[in-house]
Amino acid sequence: MADEALFLLLHNEMVSGVYKSAEQGEVENGRCITKLENMGFRVGQGLIERFTKDTARFKDELGIMKFICKDFWTTVFKKQIDNLRTNHQGIYVLQDNKFRLLTQMSAGKQYLEHASKYLAFTCGLIRGGLSNLGIKSIVTAEVSSMPACKFQVMIQKL
Amino acid sequence: MSRPAYRRPEYQKINKDLFVLTYGALVAQLCKDYEKDEDVNKYLDKMGYGIGTRLIEDFLARSCVRRCHSYSEVTDIIAQVAFKMYLGITPSVTCNNASRNEFSLILDKNPLVDFVEELPAGRSSLCYCNLLCGVIRGALEMVHLSADVSFLQDRLKGDKVTEIGITFLKKLDEKKYRRKK
């Protein structure tokens, strides 16, 4: 759908805009990832509300994670998460072998170090979605080889 | 090729919500970063410009528009093809002056403000959708048309409709192509 192009371009502009204003000294460097993640958080909260308006209550944490991997990921990124692993003690690893926001970049090592900038928003998206489903978490991401990436979700037991 | 899986209609709407919500989060963040409305407007316009310069390629690849011969054709295509393709709305076009280089797009529905009720307090001169102006300006520049694009009226500021004004600046240069070597 054409909407996708708009979101991809907007996301890329946001990332470069945040980092450009960091370069000009308006904001410290470390805050960039936080800013992007917070924006993702707000969007994730809003999205999950609209999403789960009519769905049945989730049975357990694993059910929620499966929902994120299947329906949520499919709607936002047009594909499912390729691999979900858990240690059944609150840590989940979501692996996407062809992450939509990274496919536009060259698949070699050239942009590997910059890839994490493009994952911050999505980390926030997941964290925001989980938060509005009643789960407090910390989400981090890593890229070992483009365009595959892993999102690690650590559930915070209150 | 496998048939695409049937997606519930509300999922498609949620996809559009993703863009609208992201845009809202962006504007909210900008309002936190910049105190003056003009700075936020300028930043949105700049971002839109960057998006427009790339969006035009996507647009030309998806649509089969033929070469335009007049500014009013260009404006019609922006309203009837581009807006429909990316935002799902069709603004109406009016021409504002006799020399036919000033046009207005009147939007009676604007999906970008779906979740916005009113501008935040103290932000009365914020052009919430200024990104759109930048996008149009950037896209036009990539097809060698320079234009000034700005919001003439805005529903969020209390006007009756939302109106985007496009003023084409230079005349389409025809002499270049007729030069004999």
Side-chain angles (χ1 to χ4, degrees):
Chain A
M1 263 177 67
D3 288 343
E4 221 190 291
L6 267 181
F7 173 68
L8 280 176
L9 288 173
L10 179 65
H11 177 260
N12 290 350
E13 278 297 323
M14 271 163 50
V15 174
S16 72
V18 166
Y19 275 87
K20 221 183 290 182
S21 53
E23 264 173 51
Q24 290 163 2
E26 286 168 19
V27 121
E28 309 121 42
N29 229 328
R31 300 256 309 141
C32 296
I33 299 262
T34 314
K35 258 198 205 172
L36 290 165
E37 218 254 351
N38 284 337
M39 284 197 258
F41 184 78
R42 283 182 74 141
V43 178
Q45 285 183 312
L47 265 187
I48 211 82
E49 269 178 16
R50 305 183 67 67
F51 226 125
T52 54
K53 214 168 36 146
D54 298 317
T55 50
R57 205 189 176 100
F58 294 106
K59 275 192 269 188
D60 55 10
E61 211 172 78
L62 188 58
I64 295 182
M65 292 311 296
K66 284 202 209 157
F67 173 78
I68 300 267
C69 294
K70 288 205 205 145
D71 298 307
F72 188 75
W73 217 256
T74 310
T75 302
V76 177
F77 298 112
K78 306 287 183 305
K79 62 184 286 291
Q80 294 185 7
I81 283 277
D82 296 302
N83 198 340
L84 171 68
R85 270 184 264 141
T86 175
N87 67 353
H88 293 290
Q89 279 167 17
I91 299 198
Y92 296 85
V93 180
L94 288 72
Q95 182 166 342
D96 190 333
N97 290 334
K98 210 173 159 197
F99 190 50
R100 233 66 239 267
L101 300 179
L102 295 177
T103 47
Q104 308 280 332
M105 292 180 236
S106 122
K109 297 217 192 299
Q110 196 177 4
Y111 296 110
L112 207 52
E113 52 174 293
H114 297 288
S116 53
K117 300 180 193 166
Y118 292 86
L119 299 173
F121 184 84
T122 312
C123 289
L125 207 64
I126 301 174
R127 189 168 69 90
L130 289 175
S131 142
N132 260 16
L133 288 172
I135 297 185
K136 200 156 174 254
S137 59
I138 296 182
V139 184
T140 54
E142 60 162 353
V143 184
S144 45
S145 69
M146 307 272 271
C149 64
K150 290 199 196 133
F151 294 93
Q152 187 178 40
V153 180
M154 279 178 278
I155 312 280
Q156 313 269 283
K157 297 280 187 229
L158 291 159
Chain B
M1 231 170 34
S2 62
R3 201 159 47 91
Y6 172 67
R7 274 205 275 157
R8 299 215 298 257
E10 54 253 36
Y11 282 13
Q12 289 188 347
K13 183 163 189 304
I14 288 170
N15 214 313
K16 182 180 264 139
D17 288 346
L18 172 64
F19 177 71
V20 175
L21 286 171
T22 307
Y23 185 67
L26 170 69
V27 179
Q29 182 68 42
L30 289 178
C31 287
K32 245 192 273 180
D33 290 342
Y34 297 105
E35 274 181 27
K36 293 207 245 154
D37 293 344
E38 300 87 61
D39 290 336
V40 180
N41 291 343
K42 223 174 21 169
Y43 194 94
L44 283 174
D45 187 79
K46 212 165 45 139
M47 274 190 100
Y49 181 81
I51 294 179
T53 53
R54 295 175 181 90
L55 195 67
I56 184 73
E57 284 180 23
D58 184 81
F59 173 69
L60 291 174
R62 282 183 212 262
S63 66
C64 305
V65 288
R66 47 175 183 44
R67 195 190 179 88
C68 292
H69 298 284
S70 70
Y71 292 137
S72 72
E73 265 185 64
V74 174
T75 319
D76 282 336
I77 297 224
I78 295 178
Q80 287 155 17
V81 188
F83 265 83
K84 185 96 203 337
M85 194 185 278
Y86 292 109
L87 292 175
I89 53 172
T90 316
S92 47
V93 179
T94 58
C95 181
N96 290 348
N97 71 346
S99 53
R100 304 198 61 78
N101 67 333
E102 277 179 32
F103 296 87
S104 285
L105 297 172
I106 316 255
L107 288 81
D108 59 348
K109 234 183 20 148
N110 185 355
L112 282 183
V113 303
D114 265 352
F115 303 120
V116 183
E117 275 189 25
E118 52 178 18
L119 290 175
R123 291 280 178 187
S124 49
S125 52
L126 175 70
C127 286
Y128 185 82
C129 302
N130 220 26
L131 193 94
L132 289 180
C133 293
V135 172
I136 298 177
R137 192 168 59 91
L140 285 175
E141 192 155 311
M142 286 293 117
V143 288
H144 307 294
L145 291 172
S146 76
D148 255 340
V149 189
S150 63
F151 271 91
L152 299 177
Q153 290 190 75
D154 195 348
R155 262 225 185 99
L156 283 180
K157 291 189 191 159
D159 299 314
K160 272 196 267 177
V161 290
T162 304
E163 185 180 342
I164 301 181
I166 307 180
T167 307
F168 292 94
L169 296 174
K170 279 191 321 220
K171 228 176 151 321
L172 288 162
D173 196 358
E174 291 167 8
K175 280 206 199 134
K176 251 200 316 193
Y177 304 108
R178 288 210 215 123
R179 203 168 18 154
K180 286 199 210 131
K181 284 254 154 127

